[in-house]
Every structure is written in structure tokens, then in C-alpha cells.
Amino acid sequence: MILKRAIILTSFILSGLLYSQATVTLTLPVITLMDVEPTGNITLNFIAPTEAGNPLGNPTPNTSKWINYTSAITSGGATRKITAAVNQVIPGVNIRLQAAAASGAGGGTLGTPSAQVTLTTTPVTIISGIGGAYTGNGANNGHRLTISLVPGTYANLAKQDNISVTIVYTITE
């Protein structure tokens, strides 16, 4: 009888050791990171016509830039969006921007690109609906950007040399 009680007591002790519980505390911060890769400037130049009466030739659109982001939102929180604007407009010239669908090594609730936009000094949404997601880092990850120049109003065109325009990208809720 004593042996039987000792076996039962030992079984309870061992089962307590084998089936213990532990509490794990973790923190997942709200994250909002975005950049444009690769770094560096781009150059777009109109092509002068060679025959009187012909329009300017548009430069080849630039597709070398990619938007990368990492986003962690609060539970039930608003999704994020990325906007773009220029620091100045050039009279008679339209700067157009199109973000492509996300591709590469990312995952999560990646954003949805809008249709092509003409940039002004007022920010316009180019990607919306970003949830908890990451795009991967560097070129060939995230949203490829196509930046192009086209004449706007020919009456407003004037010769300009080396005009620098900065495109400002912002990620917000």
C-alpha cells in the first residue's frame, strides 16, 4: 500500500514537471518604413524635332526605381498609403508616375497601385491598402515606378536647362 502511494505521488510529481506552463510576453511594434531603391538621380530630356512642324519627342520613361516598405499596423487599425508630389512644377510639362503591382520577395497585405498620375505640388495617392506587409529590399522588390515626361500645354513651354525636380514620397495612414 505504501509502495502504491509512493508510485502515485511520484507520478503526480513527474507529470507536473513534464507538463509545466510558461508565460511568454512579446511586443510587436507599429512599423512604418519606406524608401526608394536604388538611390541616385535620374535624367529625362525631351528630344528636339528635326523637322519643322513636328512636336517634341518624349524621353524614354524611367523604370529603374522601386518603392520598398515594411508595415505593421495596430489590430483593426487603418491601412496605409503612399503619396507622391513634386517640389515644383515646370510650366508646360507633365511629370507622370505609375507604380506597378508589388513583386519580389515580399509578403503580407501589400498595397494596390493607383492608375497613372500627373504629379503636382499636392500629394496624390499612388499605392493604397497597405496592411501588415514587407516588400523585400532593393531593386526588383516592391513596386516598380515608371516616371515619364510629356508636354502639357505647348503654349506654356519655354527653354529650360537642367531643371531639378524632386519627387517626395510619403507613407501615411
Side-chain angles (χ1 to χ4, degrees):
M1 182 73 119
I2 294 177
L3 182 59
K4 190 174 182 181
R5 285 185 185 166
I7 291 173
I8 293 173
L9 181 60
T10 303
S11 295
F12 282 127
I13 291 171
L14 286 177
S15 68
L17 294 175
L18 295 175
Y19 297 103
S20 295
Q21 294 183 358
T23 301
V24 177
T25 303
L26 65 98
T27 302
L28 176 61
V30 174
I31 302 167
T32 310
L33 297 170
M34 181 212 47
D35 68 2
V36 177
E37 299 281 347
T39 60
N41 299 325
I42 62 171
T43 300
L44 298 172
N45 293 312
F46 285 104
I47 303 162
T50 57
E51 181 65 36
N54 286 338
L56 287 170
N58 296 338
T60 301
N62 182 285
T63 58
S64 66
K65 302 294 184 182
W66 292 76
I67 286 188
N68 300 158
Y69 52 82
T70 300
S71 171
I73 60 175
T74 60
S75 180
T79 58
R80 295 199 166 88
K81 66 181 178 179
I82 296 175
T83 61
V86 290
N87 66 324
Q88 65 174 328
V89 294
I90 302 170
V93 176
N94 290 334
I95 302 171
R96 294 188 178 159
L97 177 67
Q98 172 72 62
S103 63
T109 305
L110 297 165
T112 303
S114 65
Q116 183 182 63
V117 298
T118 299
L119 297 176
T120 67
T121 55
T122 302
V124 60
T125 300
I126 61 168
I127 302 168
S128 61
I130 300 168
Y134 70 101
T135 59
N137 187 34
N140 302 312
N141 289 299
H143 299 265
R144 174 175 260 173
L145 299 174
T146 300
I147 303 165
S148 58
L149 293 181
V150 296
T153 305
Y154 264 86
N156 294 337
L157 287 174
K159 180 186 178 307
Q160 313 242 354
D161 288 320
N162 298 319
I163 300 296
S164 291
V165 175
T166 302
I167 302 174
V168 178
Y169 301 92
T170 307
I171 185 168
T172 60
E173 287 186 346

Short mmCIF file of all heavy atoms in Angstrom, two decimals, residues 146-172:
data_model
loop_
_atom_site.label_atom_id
_atom_site.label_comp_id
_atom_site.label_asym_id
_atom_site.label_seq_id
_atom_site.Cartn_x
_atom_site.Cartn_y
_atom_site.Cartn_z
N THR A 146 7.37 53.85 -62.78
CA THR A 146 7.61 54.35 -64.13
C THR A 146 7.40 55.86 -64.08
O THR A 146 6.30 56.33 -63.75
CB THR A 146 6.65 53.71 -65.15
OG1 THR A 146 6.87 52.29 -65.14
CG2 THR A 146 6.88 54.25 -66.55
N ILE A 147 8.46 56.60 -64.38
CA ILE A 147 8.42 58.06 -64.36
C ILE A 147 8.61 58.54 -65.79
O ILE A 147 9.57 58.14 -66.47
CB ILE A 147 9.53 58.63 -63.44
CG1 ILE A 147 9.37 58.05 -62.03
CG2 ILE A 147 9.49 60.16 -63.43
CD1 ILE A 147 10.58 58.24 -61.14
N SER A 148 7.69 59.40 -66.25
CA SER A 148 7.77 59.87 -67.63
C SER A 148 7.45 61.36 -67.71
O SER A 148 6.81 61.92 -66.83
CB SER A 148 6.82 59.07 -68.52
OG SER A 148 5.49 59.16 -68.05
N LEU A 149 7.95 61.97 -68.78
CA LEU A 149 7.67 63.38 -69.08
C LEU A 149 6.91 63.45 -70.39
O LEU A 149 7.26 62.75 -71.36
CB LEU A 149 8.97 64.17 -69.25
CG LEU A 149 9.87 64.39 -68.06
CD1 LEU A 149 11.08 65.22 -68.48
CD2 LEU A 149 9.14 65.08 -66.93
N VAL A 150 5.91 64.30 -70.43
CA VAL A 150 5.18 64.59 -71.67
C VAL A 150 4.85 66.08 -71.68
O VAL A 150 4.68 66.68 -70.62
CB VAL A 150 3.88 63.75 -71.80
CG1 VAL A 150 4.19 62.28 -71.89
CG2 VAL A 150 2.92 64.03 -70.67
N PRO A 151 4.78 66.68 -72.87
CA PRO A 151 4.37 68.08 -72.91
C PRO A 151 2.94 68.20 -72.39
O PRO A 151 2.11 67.33 -72.61
CB PRO A 151 4.44 68.43 -74.39
CG PRO A 151 5.32 67.40 -75.01
CD PRO A 151 5.12 66.16 -74.19
N GLY A 152 2.70 69.26 -71.67
CA GLY A 152 1.35 69.57 -71.21
C GLY A 152 0.73 70.55 -72.19
O GLY A 152 0.31 70.18 -73.28
N THR A 153 0.76 71.82 -71.85
CA THR A 153 0.27 72.88 -72.71
C THR A 153 1.46 73.47 -73.46
O THR A 153 2.33 74.10 -72.85
CB THR A 153 -0.43 73.96 -71.87
OG1 THR A 153 -1.45 73.34 -71.09
CG2 THR A 153 -1.02 75.05 -72.74
N TYR A 154 1.49 73.28 -74.79
CA TYR A 154 2.62 73.76 -75.59
C TYR A 154 2.81 75.27 -75.44
O TYR A 154 3.93 75.77 -75.47
CB TYR A 154 2.44 73.39 -77.06
CG TYR A 154 3.17 72.12 -77.43
CD1 TYR A 154 2.59 70.88 -77.25
CD2 TYR A 154 4.45 72.16 -77.96
CE1 TYR A 154 3.25 69.72 -77.57
CE2 TYR A 154 5.13 71.00 -78.29
CZ TYR A 154 4.53 69.78 -78.10
OH TYR A 154 5.20 68.63 -78.42
N ALA A 155 1.73 76.01 -75.28
CA ALA A 155 1.83 77.47 -75.15
C ALA A 155 2.64 77.87 -73.92
O ALA A 155 3.20 78.96 -73.88
CB ALA A 155 0.44 78.09 -75.08
N ASN A 156 2.75 76.99 -72.92
CA ASN A 156 3.48 77.31 -71.69
C ASN A 156 4.93 76.83 -71.70
O ASN A 156 5.67 77.07 -70.76
CB ASN A 156 2.77 76.70 -70.48
CG ASN A 156 1.42 77.34 -70.24
OD1 ASN A 156 1.17 78.46 -70.66
ND2 ASN A 156 0.54 76.61 -69.57
N LEU A 157 5.33 76.13 -72.77
CA LEU A 157 6.69 75.62 -72.83
C LEU A 157 7.69 76.75 -73.08
O LEU A 157 7.45 77.64 -73.89
CB LEU A 157 6.84 74.59 -73.95
CG LEU A 157 6.21 73.23 -73.70
CD1 LEU A 157 6.32 72.37 -74.96
CD2 LEU A 157 6.85 72.54 -72.52
N ALA A 158 8.80 76.71 -72.37
CA ALA A 158 9.90 77.65 -72.58
C ALA A 158 11.20 76.88 -72.37
O ALA A 158 11.25 75.95 -71.56
CB ALA A 158 9.80 78.81 -71.59
N LYS A 159 12.24 77.30 -73.08
CA LYS A 159 13.52 76.61 -72.95
C LYS A 159 13.97 76.63 -71.49
O LYS A 159 13.92 77.64 -70.81
CB LYS A 159 14.57 77.30 -73.81
CG LYS A 159 15.93 76.62 -73.72
CD LYS A 159 16.98 77.41 -74.47
CE LYS A 159 18.34 76.80 -74.37
NZ LYS A 159 18.86 76.51 -73.05
N GLN A 160 14.40 75.49 -71.03
CA GLN A 160 14.89 75.34 -69.66
C GLN A 160 16.08 74.38 -69.72
O GLN A 160 16.05 73.40 -70.45
CB GLN A 160 13.81 74.75 -68.76
CG GLN A 160 12.47 75.38 -68.90
CD GLN A 160 11.99 76.02 -67.62
OE1 GLN A 160 12.62 75.89 -66.59
NE2 GLN A 160 10.90 76.72 -67.69
N ASP A 161 17.09 74.67 -68.96
CA ASP A 161 18.26 73.78 -68.89
C ASP A 161 18.43 73.26 -67.47
O ASP A 161 18.38 74.04 -66.52
CB ASP A 161 19.54 74.52 -69.30
CG ASP A 161 19.60 74.80 -70.79
OD1 ASP A 161 19.20 73.92 -71.57
OD2 ASP A 161 20.04 75.90 -71.16
N ASN A 162 18.63 71.97 -67.37
CA ASN A 162 18.98 71.34 -66.10
C ASN A 162 18.08 71.73 -64.93
O ASN A 162 18.55 72.10 -63.86
CB ASN A 162 20.44 71.63 -65.74
CG ASN A 162 21.39 71.07 -66.78
OD1 ASN A 162 21.18 69.96 -67.27
ND2 ASN A 162 22.41 71.83 -67.14
N ILE A 163 16.79 71.66 -65.14
CA ILE A 163 15.84 71.92 -64.07
C ILE A 163 15.76 70.66 -63.20
O ILE A 163 15.47 69.57 -63.69
CB ILE A 163 14.44 72.25 -64.63
CG1 ILE A 163 14.50 73.50 -65.50
CG2 ILE A 163 13.42 72.40 -63.51
CD1 ILE A 163 14.90 74.74 -64.76
N SER A 164 16.00 70.80 -61.91
CA SER A 164 15.90 69.68 -60.98
C SER A 164 14.54 69.72 -60.30
O SER A 164 14.15 70.75 -59.75
CB SER A 164 16.99 69.75 -59.91
OG SER A 164 18.24 69.49 -60.49
N VAL A 165 13.86 68.61 -60.37
CA VAL A 165 12.57 68.46 -59.69
C VAL A 165 12.71 67.28 -58.74
O VAL A 165 13.20 66.22 -59.12
CB VAL A 165 11.43 68.20 -60.70
CG1 VAL A 165 10.12 67.93 -59.99
CG2 VAL A 165 11.30 69.38 -61.66
N THR A 166 12.29 67.48 -57.51
CA THR A 166 12.35 66.42 -56.51
C THR A 166 10.97 65.81 -56.34
O THR A 166 9.99 66.54 -56.16
CB THR A 166 12.83 66.99 -55.16
OG1 THR A 166 14.12 67.58 -55.34
CG2 THR A 166 12.92 65.90 -54.10
N ILE A 167 10.89 64.49 -56.42
CA ILE A 167 9.64 63.79 -56.14
C ILE A 167 9.71 63.35 -54.68
O ILE A 167 10.66 62.68 -54.26
CB ILE A 167 9.45 62.57 -57.05
CG1 ILE A 167 9.46 63.00 -58.53
CG2 ILE A 167 8.14 61.85 -56.71
CD1 ILE A 167 9.41 61.84 -59.52
N VAL A 168 8.70 63.75 -53.91
CA VAL A 168 8.64 63.43 -52.49
C VAL A 168 7.60 62.33 -52.28
O VAL A 168 6.43 62.51 -52.63
CB VAL A 168 8.27 64.68 -51.66
CG1 VAL A 168 8.17 64.33 -50.18
CG2 VAL A 168 9.28 65.79 -51.89
N TYR A 169 8.03 61.20 -51.73
CA TYR A 169 7.16 60.08 -51.43
C TYR A 169 6.90 60.06 -49.93
O TYR A 169 7.83 60.22 -49.14
CB TYR A 169 7.80 58.76 -51.84
CG TYR A 169 8.13 58.68 -53.32
CD1 TYR A 169 9.38 59.05 -53.79
CD2 TYR A 169 7.19 58.24 -54.24
CE1 TYR A 169 9.70 58.98 -55.14
CE2 TYR A 169 7.49 58.16 -55.60
CZ TYR A 169 8.75 58.53 -56.03
OH TYR A 169 9.06 58.46 -57.37
N THR A 170 5.65 59.82 -49.54
CA THR A 170 5.29 59.80 -48.11
C THR A 170 4.38 58.61 -47.85
O THR A 170 3.44 58.36 -48.61
CB THR A 170 4.55 61.10 -47.72
OG1 THR A 170 5.35 62.22 -48.12
CG2 THR A 170 4.30 61.16 -46.23
N ILE A 171 4.63 57.88 -46.75
CA ILE A 171 3.76 56.79 -46.34
C ILE A 171 3.00 57.26 -45.09
O ILE A 171 3.60 57.77 -44.15
CB ILE A 171 4.53 55.46 -46.09
CG1 ILE A 171 3.57 54.32 -45.79
CG2 ILE A 171 5.58 55.62 -45.01
CD1 ILE A 171 4.21 52.94 -45.82
N THR A 172 1.68 57.14 -45.13
CA THR A 172 0.82 57.59 -44.02
C THR A 172 -0.34 56.62 -43.86
O THR A 172 -0.59 55.78 -44.70
CB THR A 172 0.24 59.00 -44.29
OG1 THR A 172 -0.55 58.95 -45.48
CG2 THR A 172 1.31 60.04 -44.43
#
